[in-house]
Amino acid sequence: MKLFKQTLLAAAIACSTASAWADEVQVAVASNFSKPLEAIAEKFKAASGHELKISAGATGKLYAQIENGAPFEVFISADSKTPKKLVETKMAEADTQFTYAFGKLVLWSSTEGYVDDKGEVLRKGDFKHLAIANPKTAPYGEAGMAVMEKLGLTATITPKLVTGENITQTYDFVSTGNAELGFVALSQVQKDGKLKGGSAWIVPEDMYTPMAQDAVLLSNAKDSAAAKALLEFLKGEEAQAIISSYGYEIPTPPRRDAKSCVSTDSAKPC
């Protein structure tokens, strides 16, 4: 009985200590990656005890919020140039920036058979509205405009554009039928290699600038063990499996498994 009580006491102390070490990480994430991050957040909490407070939006708008003092600790972008700008202005830590995924652009309709597998629907032009994320603030919107320019259709299609504030709103325009089709992120319409519904053309990657998506530690969190642990976890096998399942390309060579560097002890950061 004495041994049993001692075991219970040790377990209680361990739990209370882990709880004391657990922290909340404020994360700004590009809208295209919000769903994968929610799945990663569950695994991260199980491994470290840390929770994520996720704020999703267009990359450019999140950048503006960070510039204006928003209390984010980690920035998970839809491009590489925006995190680099934060590094250059001393708002992010240079040695923490890395590419966690390569995004893929897709032309999608919620109607089955509407979009052909070569994107010829764009040339036919028998649609009233095409949704696209704001190209000034959203990398996926910028990529969509590049595709139309490559096809020589910019002048023809521009009058039909419906612009979303971010890629999530753009997806909503198409999924609700307010636009017959639109340029969205593959991660929004595919899971485990299968289209979740509708019809799509996965745009060839040579038609737009490769979308290296980078993450970075913001300078106000340079001493946060939990924020650093999240970035390391993103490089690990568990996170990579989730990222890949949403249709992203994983950078090569593969990152090392970050399980050994998920710390719940603020005195022993990764």
Side-chain angles (χ1 to χ4, degrees), residues 181-205:
L181 69 171
F183 285 109
V184 298
L186 181 61
S187 60
Q188 294 174 296
V189 301
Q190 177 179 292
K191 188 70 172 66
D192 296 323
K194 296 180 180 179
L195 194 65
K196 291 187 285 188
S199 51
W201 170 49
I202 299 176
V203 181
E205 295 176 18

Side-chain angles (χ1 to χ4, degrees), residues 148-188:
M148 289 191 291
E149 184 175 347
K150 189 101 172 179
L151 294 173
L153 299 173
T154 304
T156 304
I157 295 180
T158 295
K160 300 181 179 183
L161 293 181
V162 178
T163 304
E165 183 176 316
N166 53 53
I167 202 68
T168 298
Q169 188 179 58
T170 306
Y171 171 86
D172 289 343
F173 285 153
V174 183
S175 65
T176 57
N178 287 308
E180 294 96 318
L181 69 171
F183 285 109
V184 298
L186 181 61
S187 60
Q188 294 174 296

Side-chain angles (χ1 to χ4, degrees), residues 218-262:
L218 299 176
S219 293
N220 63 302
K222 62 183 179 182
D223 296 321
S224 170
K228 292 176 181 177
L230 171 60
L231 289 175
E232 288 302 313
F233 193 80
L234 278 174
K235 302 173 186 177
E237 290 179 0
E238 281 189 293
Q240 285 187 348
I242 292 171
I243 293 169
S244 180
S245 75
Y246 278 88
Y248 294 94
E249 182 180 338
I250 300 297
T252 51
R255 306 280 184 174
R256 65 180 177 81
D257 190 343
K259 287 182 181 178
S260 61
C261 196
V262 174

Side-chain angles (χ1 to χ4, degrees), residues 75-93:
F75 181 38
I76 300 177
S77 179
D79 65 6
S80 58
K81 63 184 180 182
T82 305
K84 185 178 180 181
K85 281 164 60 177
L86 290 170
V87 168
E88 290 170 347
T89 54
K90 309 298 182 184
M91 288 188 287
E93 301 298 292

Side-chain angles (χ1 to χ4, degrees), residues 1-11:
M1 177 62 72
K2 183 178 180 181
L3 179 59
F4 178 69
K5 288 182 177 179
Q6 288 176 335
T7 302
L8 285 178
L9 178 61

Side-chain angles (χ1 to χ4, degrees), residues 23 25 27 33-54 76 191 229-230 233-234 238-240 242-243 246 259 262 264:
D23 206 350
V25 184
V27 184
F33 197 69
S34 60
K35 289 297 182 182
L37 185 61
E38 288 172 8
I40 289 169
E42 294 181 13
K43 298 287 187 180
F44 179 61
K45 182 179 179 181
S48 69
H50 303 312
E51 294 193 35
L52 304 187
K53 185 173 181 181
I54 300 170
I76 300 177
K191 188 70 172 66
L230 171 60
F233 193 80
L234 278 174
E238 281 189 293
Q240 285 187 348
I242 292 171
I243 293 169
Y246 278 88
K259 287 182 181 178
V262 174
T264 58

